[in-house]
Amino acid sequence: MPQAATGRTGCGLRRRRALPGQKILILDDETPVLDFATEILRQEGYTVWGASSGGDALSIVETERLDLLLADQAIPDLDTSDIARRAQAISPNLSVIFLADKADTVSGKR
């Protein structure tokens, strides 16, 4: 896959630009977070799907050729590590990033 073009942000950090066709799946059980992340990534030029359950996420992985899975690490009653392993078994080139918000860490939610 070609490297994404980079540019500088106002704070001097390099910013990767989306390449046409990059596809991302977001797995999060909180609808406001899922909707917000999906909208931001679409505005940046990515093709984005959202899933609020492991079953929904795996169904999308089975039907779409995805580049990245962004998964909330702290979904109650769901082993997101297992979902990620199963998704990579379906799509071996799928990259995975686990996300956790500070509230999950502070409250001890896992």
Side-chain angles (χ1 to χ4, degrees):
M1 173 178 277
Q3 291 294 315
T6 60
R8 294 245 180 224
T9 65
C11 60
L13 297 175
R14 292 190 133 200
R15 179 178 178 177
R16 291 183 62 134
R17 302 227 190 272
L19 293 175
Q22 287 184 319
K23 298 178 181 181
I24 299 173
L25 170 60
I26 304 170
L27 172 58
D28 198 304
D29 63 325
E30 297 180 41
T31 302
V33 173
L34 186 60
D35 291 345
F36 177 74
T38 299
E39 180 60 29
I40 293 298
L41 290 170
R42 283 186 179 145
Q43 288 176 12
E44 290 296 318
Y46 296 95
T47 303
V48 184
W49 287 263
S52 58
S53 72
D56 289 346
L58 291 174
S59 292
I60 294 167
V61 171
E62 288 174 349
T63 60
E64 300 296 334
R65 185 174 177 195
L66 301 170
D67 298 299
L68 177 64
L69 168 61
L70 294 175
D72 180 354
Q73 194 171 13
I75 299 176
D77 302 318
L78 181 65
D79 181 352
T80 52
S81 295
D82 180 56
I83 296 300
R85 280 189 295 275
R86 292 168 60 187
Q88 286 180 317
I90 296 166
S91 182
N93 293 325
L94 180 68
S95 296
V96 177
I97 297 175
F98 291 101
L99 306 171
D101 64 31
K102 188 174 181 177
D104 292 342
T105 305
V106 172
S107 70
K109 180 180 168 187
R110 291 200 167 231

